[in-house]
Structure formats: structure tokens, C-alpha cells
Amino acid sequence: MTTGDTVRLVEATTPRTAELPPLERVSPGSREELASLLAEASASGRRLLIWGGGTHQGIGYPVEADLVVDTSRLDRIISWEPDDLTLVVEAGARVAEIEAELATKGQTAVLPEVPGGATVGGVVAAGVSGYRRCRYGPTRDRMLEVTLATGDGRIVRGGGRVVKNVSGYDLPRLATGSLGGLGVIVSVCLKLWPTRGFRATVEVEDPAAAWRRLYRPLAVLQTPRGSFAYLEGVPDEVVAKADALGGRWTEGHQWPGPPDGEYVVSIRVRPSDVARAVEVIPAGWDYVAQHGVGEITAAGAGSDTVERLRTWAESRGGWVVVLWAPPDSPVDPWGTPPQGLDLQRRLVGAFDPARVVNPGRLPGRI
Amino acid sequence: MASPGRRLALGAVTLAADLRRVLGADRVSDDPLERHLYGKDAGVFRGRAALVVFPETTEEVAEVVRIAEEHRVPVVARGAGTGLAGGAVPEEPAVVVALTRMNRIWDVDLDDRTAWVGPGVINLDLSRETSPHGFHFAPDPSSQSACTIGGNVANNSGGPHCLLEGSTVNHVLGLEVVLTGGEVITVGGAAPDPPGLDLRGVLVGSEGTLGIVTKVLVKLTPNPPDVRTMLAAFGTVEDAAATVTGIIAAGIVPAALEIMDRAMVEAIENWLHAGLPVGAAAVLLAEVTGETATVEDEARTIVEIAQANSAREVRIASDEAERALLWKGRKSAFGAVAQTAPDYYLHDTVVPRTRLVETMGRIYEIAAKHGLAMMNVFHAGDGNLHPLIPFDSSDPEAWEKVQKAADEMVELCVRQGGALSGEHGIGREKRDLMPLAFGEDDLAAQACIKAAFDPSETFNPHKVLPRGTSCFDRAVPIPEGAWI
């Protein structure tokens, strides 16, 4: 077996964080305070930009706001039931702190592995997932319950604090990735997973083949600096798999940070197109490609490159979503709008009739 | 002037004629027997179909929706009718849209591990089709040899193996759906996280109240390389429930964790002779999947936890035949009840797993208080209870008692921090119990979703939400110029 120095691990960079705009800022300390702020904004037409950790503020059309509402004071763990594998947490809680707490009892909410200052609410609102979605599914699959303050200041709850539930419409999933379209996420109940056993990061030559060969790896990532399979489980089995994959591995999981550049984009394609997507990315661009998932985060310069990547991805039934762009970017942040845009508009209108929460940010400038 | 009933009858005639122009005479039925049969699902409620139609294409479904809307008659989509909550039972005379003929499996894509399937494809047929290639469709309700994928989507169905794999929503990547006005859209897809709101997520589990799903992109799950199925017999149901809590607390999420109580085990054994331990107060069926070292390690831990909770007997299935027999016993449990009484009422509620022991004890007390027999077979691993009450529906007093006991059981579970339904849905059965779990504004928010999708209330009306629930009554003044 080979460990340590022989594995060239990817350096974990810190995610980019947006600068707060020069606007008045309020930090509600309770959901009631938040709700009355929203009711007042709806009555007066004051437009609000919702702020968590600032790590996903580059997504969507720029928001013209009058006031920043930051969720940093809504950061409590409301309940953690380790024996039931559920966690109820307020939106402003930091992902890094929550995961550190959960790890003390060998559990995880499978939130992004390199979160920077990201908050739970921000991750849910942006609909982003960690690399381990390859094994555990996306963040929305762990959303058991959501409490929202709607645009017009009502507190509404959907779902429940149990792992299986069909009681009415799935508001928790609808809220995931809604970027403020339904209001402000106050708290969520997340399904947790136990993390058991021995961990290894294995260097692989052919990541697509490694994904096909492994039974449910946590992740298989490809970067310009190497490709890695992430394993966890019974020690003998993990070591046997690591050896079978080529034998260059190290204990523990070392995750790459998100690439950074003038443009940072999320290329989303069917899983079998990941290898092709990597070939389409030009030299000089950095990327992390998730095999088995279909998401490639890529960063580099040139709006024309982004347009070219988008044309290619959309021709294959996929999407390119801009995560960060320069202020004067000519690139549309979403690309071709999804089907059912009128329906999305009606849904947003029902929850935020005066359209005061992150107005215009969603596809179709909803 | 014609009476209202007469007017309705005339309306039905022109409606039928319009539908026959699209579907032909043989796929629009006004036959009284057919209308009677399609007015019921596998539960206890009965409604009446005005007409039953059998579309074969998306375009035909869209036309049916357009015509029904023109005639202001609701549509109720239906798969195999195995639902138990009255979700497919028309509450008022409706066009019942039977989707069983839309049963093609297209494009099984083993590279992407997906398949596009018609809503009428039978759940087990999909797994049979893909199993030789090493994949299956993970949701496995007990009715899987009869129920359809469209019905699974409507109810976000589960099954024993959704403890590890998640319910139907985790296995549906995209949907083609017919909306109001006959508009056809595709939401989701094989590529992850499409931009915009997750319409796919809210359509799954919406019980046919938002639109009619005409194609489903399902995720295929790799068959596990190894499996261990074991059975443990206990002297009390509480010991079995405590074992379940102990397994989850030990950091193991098995593929399945099922409990059957004494009455249920006896009913199964009388009929199937699967070798289940008759006489035990509870039998726990546990299955772990994965690679050999993992399943051996997890099976060992589960056996230890069962023994620590006073298991009388623990056995591991020695081969595939023994494993299949154990599962056959579990999955045919509801059929086995027929020998006990002519009818049964099957409940579906959820409690946090930490409340299993206490809740089970109190559910037995409720049944005893009402002088009712009760059998239990349930998905213990995710806290999903299925108390089953055998009774004779020809005795009106018995039915009244059953309903009373059932309502008390739901209330108990909700008070324990649980949910109204884990996998059967709200339908008509639990519609009026929704206020137990949700406040007025929570329900109004749900009504907003319904209103945004279905402003003409065409799709399966009066289901899921209590009558009178409507989207928010806007008290907030809307500023001038604001977009609504």
C-alpha cells in the first residue's frame, strides 16, 4: 500500500465571498422580527437583498435592493436528535460550525465540504450540494421541513421533522434553490447520515471508469491536477478497493476548493457527458468535475468561452449556470429559460406578491 | 326548465361526444359497471366517474384536459388504483383518466442510469426489465407487482427499501406533465439542478392535483453486490422497536428494517409457511446491502443489538431462496389478513424513530380501548407505522369504532412530533386531518401552490387540502406599480 506523499492532493482553496453592497443593513434576531420587516417592506415596496455568508451571491441576475437583510443572528440549532438522524437549524448557522458539531457524534448533513463562510440557509436557497451527493443525493433530498417568512411577512411551515412524509405539497423541496423567490428561509430540518469507519482519498487514472466500477463511492472528482475517488467504510474493504484502483491513496478526505477566476460557472450535464465536458473546457481554465453527478465547476477568463460552453451543454440537454461573473458581464446568468416560466412566476407571486425578496434574481427575471 | 341533474346528464353526453372525437368510441366509456369500478381505489371511499377515458399519448391527455376544462368537469388521473387514501376516487362526477395504457419503457440508459417510462408502467416490471443489466427502481411498495410508476409519483410512494434509498421523489429526475389548458412541459432532466424553481419536486407527491404526469425520467439504482437478510424474534414489541432505535443510533442505516407483530406473523404463517417464528410478540426483519465486508460487519452489529434487547432468536437467511421467502412473507402480509376478517383498515402514519417504543405501546392501548383487533406490519426503520384493523364492514358499528380508533392513532402520532402520512398520501382520507399537522397559514401556502398550478380547479379537486382552504387573503396593501 502507498500513502502520504505519493498522492498529489488538490489544494483546498477558500470559496470566494462577495462584498456587502453599500446599503443599510439589518439583522433580525427572531423569525417574528424578520416577518414584520418583510410585511413592512411589502407594504412600502422596499426591495430586500438577503445575505447569508456571501458565498453564493454571484448566482442569478443582480438584485437592485434598498436594504440588506442578513441572517447572521438567526443561527441557533433548534434541535438535534442524533438517534433519529435529524437536525433542525436556523438559516444563518454556518455550515462549517454545524458540520463540526455533527461530526462529534459521527454524523453529517452532507453540506458542502469546503463551505468557507456559507450558511445553511444560503446553501439551501442557492440549491447547491456537496461533492458527496454522488453517494447521498443532492441537498434537496435531505430537506424534511422548511419554515419560511413569505415576502409579505407570514410564517409558513411545510414538511415535517420525520424522515418520511407525504403530507401535502413538498414546500421544502420547492424552497431549495428558490433564491428568495418564496421569501426568506428561517429554519430547516435536515435528514442526517452517519459517517462510519475508515476514510481514504484514492488517486485514479480514469475517473469515469472508477465511478462505473465502484459501488456507491462518496465522490469521484476530476481536476487538472489529478483525479480522486473518495471512499469510506470498513477498513479492509476501503484498503482493498484503494489497492484495486491503483494503490496510490492517503487516509482521510481532502476535498478541492471551488475553482476561481474571472468567470466561475457550473456546467450541468448528464453524468455520461462529464468526460466530454472536461474535453470542451479550454486550457488555462480550472475545474472540478463530479463524475456520476454531472456537475463541473469551471473557472477562467472570457465571456466567449462561457457562451461556447453553454451552447455545447444546452445542445446536450444540460445547462450552464454562472456562479460568479465580472460586474459588466454580457453573459446571461442562467441561459435559456426553463419550461414552465409562467407557472414559476405565479408561484413566486403567490408567496411574494409585492416581489420584495431578491427581486428579479431568478430565470426570467422573476 | 330541466332539473340540475338533467342538465348534468346532457352535459355528460356532449362531453362524451367531444372526448370520442379525440379518442375514438372504444376509449371513452360511459358503461355503468366501468364507471362504478373506476369510482374506487383500494381504500374505503367510493365516488363515481362520469366517464372513464383511456388515452395512449401525451397529446391525447392534453386534449382530454382541454375538453374537460371547456366543459368545466374535473379530471382525476388514475394508475392501477392500489392507493389507500382515496386519492384516485372522484369526489364529484369527473372524467377518470386511466393511464394504464401509457406503459412503455423508453430509453433505458445504462450509462446515465436512467429510463424514461410511461406513467402506466408497473413498478415491478421496470425493475424486471433493468435487473439483468444490474439495476433496479428502488421504491418498492408492497403493491409493487400491481401499482404503476405514475401512481408512485403521485403519492411519493415508499416501501421497505426506502429507508436507505429514499422515497420516489429521490428517484425521479424529470417529468413530462400536462398542466391547465393542456399545456405540456418537461421539468427536470438527466442533468442535475436545472435553473429555476424545482417544479419536479413539488409535482411528486401532489396526488394528481396539479397536473397529469405523462412521462417519468427515473433514476436506476445499481443492484447491491451483497446482501444479508436477518430475522430476530422478540418477547415484546417494545424490545423489537428498541432494537430499531438502537441500530439507527449505532450509525447503521440498513436497507430495510421491518417489524411484524404476533397477530400478523400468525396470519402470514397460516397461509405461506415461510418459517416465521410463530408465538413471538414481534419479529424484526432487517436487511443490509453493500459490499461483503460491510454487510458482514453491519449484520454482526445488528445481531448484537438484537441480543442486547433480549431477542429470543436471531437468524440470518442462508441463501437467496430463504431471503426471498422472508420477503414474500412481509410483502404479502396484507393479503394474509383476508383469513381474519372480510375487510381491513390500514393506517399510515410516521413518528420520529426515537418515539417508536412509546408510540407502539399506546397504539395497542387505543385498539384495546375500542375492543378492536389489530395487526402491525410496518417500516420501523423510518418510523412509518401501519396499524391494520381487521373488521366486517357490514357491521356499521364496527366501522364507526374503526374510524374513531384510527383518528386517535393519527392524533397520537402527530402529537409525538410525527406526520399524517409516510407514503400513502393524504387523498380524501386525511384531508380533514391536515389542520392537526399544519396551521392556517401553512395550509394557505399549500393552497397557493394548488392555485398557481390549477386555477380552474380541474385536477382532482377536493383532495389533500380541507375544503375551504384558499391561498392567502391579502391584507397587505400592494404598492403601486409592483408586479403581481
Side-chain angles (χ1 to χ4, degrees):
Chain A
M1 92 181 190
T2 319
T3 60
D5 299 343
T6 53
V7 177
R8 294 166 293 120
L9 285 167
V10 179
E11 203 177 320
T13 51
T14 312
R16 194 199 290 195
T17 305
E19 274 178 39
L20 269 164
L23 293 169
E24 188 192 337
R25 177 155 65 117
V26 289
S27 314
S30 70
R31 61 186 206 171
E32 289 75 20
E33 228 177 288
L34 172 63
S36 59
L37 177 76
L38 288 161
E40 186 276 325
S42 279
S44 66
R46 207 146 64 134
R47 300 161 303 178
L48 312 175
L49 174 63
I50 313 306
W51 203 274
T55 51
H56 298 103
Q57 290 290 351
I59 302 175
Y61 294 103
V63 174
E64 280 179 35
D66 305 303
L67 181 69
V68 173
V69 179
D70 95 58
T71 58
S72 59
R73 288 176 62 213
L74 291 166
D75 65 345
R76 294 174 307 143
I77 290 181
I78 296 171
S79 76
W80 174 22
E81 301 285 346
D83 292 352
D84 198 31
L85 292 168
T86 57
L87 171 78
V88 185
V89 64
E90 287 184 324
R94 305 273 164 185
V95 168
E97 287 166 24
I98 292 298
E99 287 287 13
E101 179 76 19
L102 295 174
T104 60
K105 291 198 175 169
Q107 302 192 346
T108 176
V110 203
L111 292 163
E113 293 79 6
V114 190
T119 61
V120 173
V123 165
V124 172
V128 296
S129 302
Y131 298 126
R132 291 168 293 166
R133 74 180 291 175
C134 184
R135 166 68 189 83
Y136 294 110
T139 297
R140 57 169 50 90
D141 283 354
R142 281 172 291 287
M143 284 284 288
L144 303 177
E145 182 190 66
V146 70
T147 302
L148 289 166
T150 63
D152 54 356
R154 298 164 201 269
I155 302 288
V156 302
R157 185 179 59 80
R161 297 178 184 183
V162 286
V163 294
K164 200 175 179 191
N165 192 354
V166 196
S167 306
Y169 305 117
D170 199 334
L171 198 56
R173 275 191 175 76
L174 193 62
T176 310
S178 62
L179 285 170
L182 307 179
V184 182
I185 294 168
V186 177
S187 63
V188 297
C189 177
L190 297 171
K191 175 178 176 171
L192 307 176
W193 285 91
T195 58
R196 288 182 88 232
F198 185 77
R199 294 173 181 180
T201 306
V202 189
E203 192 169 1
V204 294
E205 287 298 318
D206 181 346
W211 174 66
R212 280 196 303 272
R213 173 175 181 172
L214 290 165
Y215 178 72
R216 296 188 161 177
L218 286 182
V220 179
L221 304 182
Q222 180 176 3
T223 80
R225 291 165 298 283
S227 298
F228 305 91
Y230 295 79
L231 309 178
E232 184 172 82
V234 179
D236 289 352
E237 185 183 299
V238 171
V239 171
K241 276 194 216 175
D243 286 344
L245 284 168
R248 290 155 62 89
W249 61 275
T250 186
E251 191 178 339
H253 288 154
Q254 298 194 33
W255 303 99
D260 205 355
E262 184 195 16
Y263 282 92
V264 184
V265 299
S266 167
I267 306 168
R268 299 169 186 178
V269 290
R270 55 183 62 220
S272 61
D273 269 346
V274 170
R276 284 190 200 94
V278 166
E279 285 167 22
V280 176
I281 296 170
W285 275 56
D286 192 10
Y287 61 84
V288 177
Q290 300 180 53
H291 284 269
V293 172
E295 184 172 11
I296 304 101
T297 311
S303 61
D304 51 333
T305 301
V306 177
E307 298 285 14
R308 211 171 56 243
L309 289 169
R310 172 170 285 158
T311 305
W312 175 82
E314 289 188 356
S315 76
R316 311 275 313 165
W319 300 276
V320 168
V321 172
V322 175
L323 304 180
W324 296 102
D328 54 349
S329 165
V331 180
D332 187 277
W334 296 110
T336 304
Q339 295 180 33
L341 213 52
D342 288 345
L343 177 55
Q344 303 213 9
R345 198 167 268 130
R346 290 199 295 274
L347 283 165
V348 170
F351 283 82
D352 184 6
R355 204 59 194 104
V356 293
V357 180
N358 290 350
R361 194 167 176 186
L362 287 165
R365 296 189 188 269
I366 296 172
Chain B
M1 192 178 146
S3 69
R6 176 76 183 147
R7 277 209 305 274
L8 179 73
L10 281 173
V13 170
T14 60
L15 172 64
D18 286 351
L19 290 167
R20 285 193 177 114
R21 265 194 290 280
V22 175
L23 299 176
D26 58 329
R27 290 193 285 130
V28 178
S29 174
D30 56 4
D31 172 63
L33 176 61
E34 215 144 32
R35 286 165 53 201
H36 183 74
L37 290 173
Y38 281 83
K40 197 179 178 313
D41 65 5
V44 293
F45 297 99
R46 174 165 289 291
R48 200 159 186 82
L51 293 165
V52 187
V53 298
F54 302 89
E56 290 172 3
T57 65
T58 302
E59 292 69 31
E60 287 179 354
V61 174
E63 274 300 319
V64 168
V65 168
R66 261 182 234 121
I67 292 168
E69 276 187 320
E70 257 171 49
H71 285 266
R72 301 190 181 180
V73 174
V75 294
V76 176
R78 178 188 175 94
T82 55
L84 288 159
V89 174
E91 177 90 345
E92 58 185 88
V95 176
V96 170
V97 184
L99 296 160
T100 40
R101 294 192 185 190
M102 297 178 69
N103 59 353
R104 267 188 64 188
I105 298 176
W106 291 271
D107 306 333
V108 174
D109 185 333
L110 298 178
D111 289 336
D112 284 325
R113 303 180 179 178
T114 60
W116 275 106
V117 305
V121 170
I122 290 172
N123 174 299
L124 194 58
D125 286 353
L126 177 57
S127 287
R128 280 197 182 126
E129 175 94 8
T130 54
S131 207
H133 307 289
F135 295 92
H136 66 286
F137 182 59
D140 62 338
S142 292
S143 57
Q144 72 180 134
S145 58
C147 67
T148 62
I149 301 292
N152 297 164
V153 169
N155 290 297
N156 190 16
S157 303
H161 287 87
C162 73
L163 172 57
L164 178 66
E165 307 290 359
S167 299
T168 298
V169 68
N170 296 11
H171 303 276
V172 168
L173 301 173
L175 295 169
E176 180 190 78
V177 57
V178 175
L179 300 171
T180 179
E183 184 191 1
V184 180
I185 64 168
T186 301
V187 294
D193 306 331
L197 298 178
D198 182 16
L199 300 181
R200 172 210 59 97
V202 78
L203 279 162
V204 178
S206 65
E207 306 193 35
T209 62
L210 304 182
I212 298 183
V213 168
T214 46
K215 253 189 189 182
V216 187
L217 180 67
V218 296
K219 183 166 95 180
L220 299 174
T221 299
N223 297 343
D226 207 347
V227 58
R228 292 286 180 282
T229 305
M230 62 222 98
L231 179 151
F234 295 89
T236 68
V237 175
E238 286 76 9
D239 283 344
T243 302
V244 169
T245 308
I247 291 167
I248 300 295
I252 296 175
V253 179
L257 270 180
E258 304 281 308
I259 289 180
M260 294 170 268
D261 69 4
R262 186 197 314 262
M264 189 53 92
V265 168
E266 280 169 7
I268 295 168
E269 267 311 290
N270 272 344
W271 169 67
L272 189 69
H273 311 296
L276 298 178
V278 180
V283 170
L284 174 69
L285 187 62
E287 184 163 282
V288 289
T289 54
E291 267 143 323
T292 304
T294 305
V295 297
E296 281 177 352
D297 181 66
E298 292 186 346
R300 199 177 312 122
T301 309
I302 289 172
V303 169
E304 281 165 17
I305 294 169
Q307 284 165 344
N309 282 290
S310 317
R312 291 181 183 174
E313 178 195 345
V314 184
R315 80 169 107 112
I316 299 183
S318 55
D319 57 21
E320 183 53 33
E322 194 180 347
R323 172 179 177 262
L325 191 61
L326 289 178
W327 275 114
K328 191 173 178 194
R330 164 62 187 89
K331 291 204 174 182
S332 54
F334 301 134
V337 176
Q339 57 190 302
T340 310
D343 302 285
Y344 66 77
Y345 185 77
L346 178 64
H347 232 323
D348 169 43
T349 62
V350 193
V351 291
R353 294 173 278 209
T354 44
R355 303 289 174 82
L356 262 180
V357 178
E358 185 190 340
T359 310
M360 285 311 299
R362 291 176 62 184
I363 279 183
Y364 282 104
E365 284 169 20
I366 292 172
K369 188 180 83 183
H370 290 277
L372 293 165
M374 189 180 57
M375 306 160 106
N376 273 288
V377 49
F378 61 99
H379 313 307
D382 33 34
N384 189 185
L385 307 178
H386 286 321
L388 182 152
I389 307 171
F391 73 106
D392 182 349
S393 62
S394 62
D395 173 2
E397 263 177 49
W399 174 227
E400 208 170 290
K401 273 199 290 188
V402 169
Q403 279 180 304
K404 214 152 175 265
D407 284 355
E408 283 177 33
M409 287 174 193
V410 175
E411 271 193 64
L412 164 71
C413 291
V414 173
R415 274 205 309 276
Q416 295 279 349
L420 293 174
S421 168
E423 55 185 7
H424 294 179
I426 299 299
R428 176 167 158 189
E429 181 192 30
K430 290 182 178 152
R431 177 188 68 192
D432 298 325
L433 297 176
M434 284 286 273
L436 280 179
F438 296 106
E440 217 172 289
D441 279 354
D442 306 336
L443 292 174
Q446 302 228 4
C448 292
I449 295 174
K450 167 74 173 169
F453 271 89
D454 182 23
S456 65
E457 295 191 52
T458 296
F459 296 102
N460 205 6
H462 316 305
K463 301 291 168 59
V464 181
L465 295 173
R467 278 179 190 265
T469 312
S470 61
C471 189
F472 301 115
D473 172 23
R474 300 282 171 201
V476 182
I478 307 304
E480 214 175 310
W483 176 87
I484 300 181

PDB file of all heavy atoms in Angstrom, chain A residues 49-64:
ATOM      1  N   LEU A  49     -32.286  42.570  -0.234  1.00  0.00           N
ATOM      2  CA  LEU A  49     -31.288  41.587  -0.654  1.00  0.00           C
ATOM      3  C   LEU A  49     -30.972  40.741   0.577  1.00  0.00           C
ATOM      4  O   LEU A  49     -30.552  41.268   1.608  1.00  0.00           O
ATOM      5  CB  LEU A  49     -30.023  42.303  -1.161  1.00  0.00           C
ATOM      6  CG  LEU A  49     -28.826  41.418  -1.503  1.00  0.00           C
ATOM      7  CD1 LEU A  49     -29.154  40.469  -2.653  1.00  0.00           C
ATOM      8  CD2 LEU A  49     -27.614  42.274  -1.877  1.00  0.00           C
ATOM      9  N   ILE A  50     -31.185  39.433   0.455  1.00  0.00           N
ATOM     10  CA  ILE A  50     -30.980  38.554   1.616  1.00  0.00           C
ATOM     11  C   ILE A  50     -29.545  38.045   1.606  1.00  0.00           C
ATOM     12  O   ILE A  50     -29.051  37.579   0.571  1.00  0.00           O
ATOM     13  CB  ILE A  50     -31.971  37.365   1.595  1.00  0.00           C
ATOM     14  CG1 ILE A  50     -33.400  37.850   1.311  1.00  0.00           C
ATOM     15  CG2 ILE A  50     -31.918  36.596   2.921  1.00  0.00           C
ATOM     16  CD1 ILE A  50     -33.922  38.929   2.228  1.00  0.00           C
ATOM     17  N   TRP A  51     -28.902  38.107   2.761  1.00  0.00           N
ATOM     18  CA  TRP A  51     -27.465  37.823   2.850  1.00  0.00           C
ATOM     19  C   TRP A  51     -27.178  36.785   3.924  1.00  0.00           C
ATOM     20  O   TRP A  51     -27.566  36.955   5.077  1.00  0.00           O
ATOM     21  CB  TRP A  51     -26.721  39.119   3.188  1.00  0.00           C
ATOM     22  CG  TRP A  51     -25.279  39.096   2.784  1.00  0.00           C
ATOM     23  CD1 TRP A  51     -24.239  38.604   3.496  1.00  0.00           C
ATOM     24  CD2 TRP A  51     -24.737  39.572   1.553  1.00  0.00           C
ATOM     25  NE1 TRP A  51     -23.074  38.746   2.793  1.00  0.00           N
ATOM     26  CE2 TRP A  51     -23.346  39.340   1.602  1.00  0.00           C
ATOM     27  CE3 TRP A  51     -25.282  40.164   0.418  1.00  0.00           C
ATOM     28  CZ2 TRP A  51     -22.489  39.688   0.543  1.00  0.00           C
ATOM     29  CZ3 TRP A  51     -24.427  40.513  -0.628  1.00  0.00           C
ATOM     30  CH2 TRP A  51     -23.050  40.276  -0.560  1.00  0.00           C
ATOM     31  N   GLY A  52     -26.521  35.692   3.515  1.00  0.00           N
ATOM     32  CA  GLY A  52     -26.061  34.702   4.498  1.00  0.00           C
ATOM     33  C   GLY A  52     -24.562  34.850   4.661  1.00  0.00           C
ATOM     34  O   GLY A  52     -24.075  35.784   5.288  1.00  0.00           O
ATOM     35  N   GLY A  53     -23.789  33.963   4.048  1.00  0.00           N
ATOM     36  CA  GLY A  53     -22.329  34.053   4.134  1.00  0.00           C
ATOM     37  C   GLY A  53     -21.711  34.780   2.941  1.00  0.00           C
ATOM     38  O   GLY A  53     -20.493  34.958   2.884  1.00  0.00           O
ATOM     39  N   GLY A  54     -22.521  35.136   1.951  1.00  0.00           N
ATOM     40  CA  GLY A  54     -21.991  35.852   0.786  1.00  0.00           C
ATOM     41  C   GLY A  54     -21.252  34.968  -0.200  1.00  0.00           C
ATOM     42  O   GLY A  54     -20.612  35.448  -1.128  1.00  0.00           O
ATOM     43  N   THR A  55     -21.333  33.641  -0.031  1.00  0.00           N
ATOM     44  CA  THR A  55     -20.568  32.741  -0.902  1.00  0.00           C
ATOM     45  C   THR A  55     -21.337  32.336  -2.159  1.00  0.00           C
ATOM     46  O   THR A  55     -20.774  31.699  -3.041  1.00  0.00           O
ATOM     47  CB  THR A  55     -20.153  31.457  -0.141  1.00  0.00           C
ATOM     48  OG1 THR A  55     -21.312  30.906   0.486  1.00  0.00           O
ATOM     49  CG2 THR A  55     -19.103  31.764   0.909  1.00  0.00           C
ATOM     50  N   HIS A  56     -22.643  32.660  -2.225  1.00  0.00           N
ATOM     51  CA  HIS A  56     -23.420  32.317  -3.426  1.00  0.00           C
ATOM     52  C   HIS A  56     -24.118  33.543  -4.008  1.00  0.00           C
ATOM     53  O   HIS A  56     -25.104  33.408  -4.722  1.00  0.00           O
ATOM     54  CB  HIS A  56     -24.442  31.226  -3.093  1.00  0.00           C
ATOM     55  CG  HIS A  56     -23.798  29.957  -2.647  1.00  0.00           C
ATOM     56  ND1 HIS A  56     -23.748  29.585  -1.327  1.00  0.00           N
ATOM     57  CD2 HIS A  56     -23.146  29.001  -3.337  1.00  0.00           C
ATOM     58  CE1 HIS A  56     -23.091  28.435  -1.231  1.00  0.00           C
ATOM     59  NE2 HIS A  56     -22.720  28.058  -2.426  1.00  0.00           N
ATOM     60  N   GLN A  57     -23.617  34.727  -3.672  1.00  0.00           N
ATOM     61  CA  GLN A  57     -24.284  35.950  -4.119  1.00  0.00           C
ATOM     62  C   GLN A  57     -24.083  36.218  -5.600  1.00  0.00           C
ATOM     63  O   GLN A  57     -24.741  37.074  -6.179  1.00  0.00           O
ATOM     64  CB  GLN A  57     -23.826  37.169  -3.298  1.00  0.00           C
ATOM     65  CG  GLN A  57     -24.326  37.164  -1.859  1.00  0.00           C
ATOM     66  CD  GLN A  57     -25.832  37.398  -1.739  1.00  0.00           C
ATOM     67  OE1 GLN A  57     -26.500  37.732  -2.702  1.00  0.00           O
ATOM     68  NE2 GLN A  57     -26.371  37.181  -0.541  1.00  0.00           N
ATOM     69  N   GLY A  58     -23.163  35.487  -6.226  1.00  0.00           N
ATOM     70  CA  GLY A  58     -22.933  35.710  -7.656  1.00  0.00           C
ATOM     71  C   GLY A  58     -23.963  35.044  -8.552  1.00  0.00           C
ATOM     72  O   GLY A  58     -23.969  35.255  -9.761  1.00  0.00           O
ATOM     73  N   ILE A  59     -24.851  34.219  -7.963  1.00  0.00           N
ATOM     74  CA  ILE A  59     -25.800  33.447  -8.772  1.00  0.00           C
ATOM     75  C   ILE A  59     -27.030  34.286  -9.123  1.00  0.00           C
ATOM     76  O   ILE A  59     -27.602  34.938  -8.252  1.00  0.00           O
ATOM     77  CB  ILE A  59     -26.242  32.171  -8.009  1.00  0.00           C
ATOM     78  CG1 ILE A  59     -25.021  31.308  -7.659  1.00  0.00           C
ATOM     79  CG2 ILE A  59     -27.238  31.363  -8.835  1.00  0.00           C
ATOM     80  CD1 ILE A  59     -25.338  30.090  -6.809  1.00  0.00           C
ATOM     81  N   GLY A  60     -27.426  34.247 -10.383  1.00  0.00           N
ATOM     82  CA  GLY A  60     -28.666  34.905 -10.823  1.00  0.00           C
ATOM     83  C   GLY A  60     -28.450  36.338 -11.260  1.00  0.00           C
ATOM     84  O   GLY A  60     -27.331  36.869 -11.213  1.00  0.00           O
ATOM     85  N   TYR A  61     -29.557  36.955 -11.710  1.00  0.00           N
ATOM     86  CA  TYR A  61     -29.480  38.364 -12.126  1.00  0.00           C
ATOM     87  C   TYR A  61     -29.170  39.232 -10.906  1.00  0.00           C
ATOM     88  O   TYR A  61     -29.625  38.937  -9.800  1.00  0.00           O
ATOM     89  CB  TYR A  61     -30.814  38.797 -12.732  1.00  0.00           C
ATOM     90  CG  TYR A  61     -31.133  38.093 -14.020  1.00  0.00           C
ATOM     91  CD1 TYR A  61     -32.057  37.062 -14.053  1.00  0.00           C
ATOM     92  CD2 TYR A  61     -30.487  38.454 -15.204  1.00  0.00           C
ATOM     93  CE1 TYR A  61     -32.343  36.390 -15.249  1.00  0.00           C
ATOM     94  CE2 TYR A  61     -30.757  37.791 -16.398  1.00  0.00           C
ATOM     95  CZ  TYR A  61     -31.685  36.766 -16.410  1.00  0.00           C
ATOM     96  OH  TYR A  61     -31.956  36.107 -17.572  1.00  0.00           O
ATOM     97  N   PRO A  62     -28.397  40.299 -11.096  1.00  0.00           N
ATOM     98  CA  PRO A  62     -28.080  41.186  -9.971  1.00  0.00           C
ATOM     99  C   PRO A  62     -29.378  41.774  -9.389  1.00  0.00           C
ATOM    100  O   PRO A  62     -30.311  42.067 -10.131  1.00  0.00           O
ATOM    101  CB  PRO A  62     -27.222  42.286 -10.601  1.00  0.00           C
ATOM    102  CG  PRO A  62     -26.774  41.741 -11.908  1.00  0.00           C
ATOM    103  CD  PRO A  62     -27.793  40.742 -12.352  1.00  0.00           C
ATOM    104  N   VAL A  63     -29.403  41.883  -8.072  1.00  0.00           N
ATOM    105  CA  VAL A  63     -30.599  42.379  -7.389  1.00  0.00           C
ATOM    106  C   VAL A  63     -30.422  43.863  -7.090  1.00  0.00           C
ATOM    107  O   VAL A  63     -29.422  44.268  -6.492  1.00  0.00           O
ATOM    108  CB  VAL A  63     -30.817  41.602  -6.063  1.00  0.00           C
ATOM    109  CG1 VAL A  63     -31.974  42.197  -5.282  1.00  0.00           C
ATOM    110  CG2 VAL A  63     -31.058  40.131  -6.355  1.00  0.00           C
ATOM    111  N   GLU A  64     -31.364  44.645  -7.525  1.00  0.00           N
ATOM    112  CA  GLU A  64     -31.349  46.067  -7.153  1.00  0.00           C
ATOM    113  C   GLU A  64     -32.128  46.198  -5.861  1.00  0.00           C
ATOM    114  O   GLU A  64     -33.346  46.020  -5.839  1.00  0.00           O
ATOM    115  CB  GLU A  64     -32.001  46.909  -8.250  1.00  0.00           C
ATOM    116  CG  GLU A  64     -31.055  47.161  -9.413  1.00  0.00           C
ATOM    117  CD  GLU A  64     -31.718  47.979 -10.495  1.00  0.00           C
ATOM    118  OE1 GLU A  64     -32.531  48.867 -10.167  1.00  0.00           O
ATOM    119  OE2 GLU A  64     -31.433  47.710 -11.674  1.00  0.00           O
TER     120      GLU A  64
END
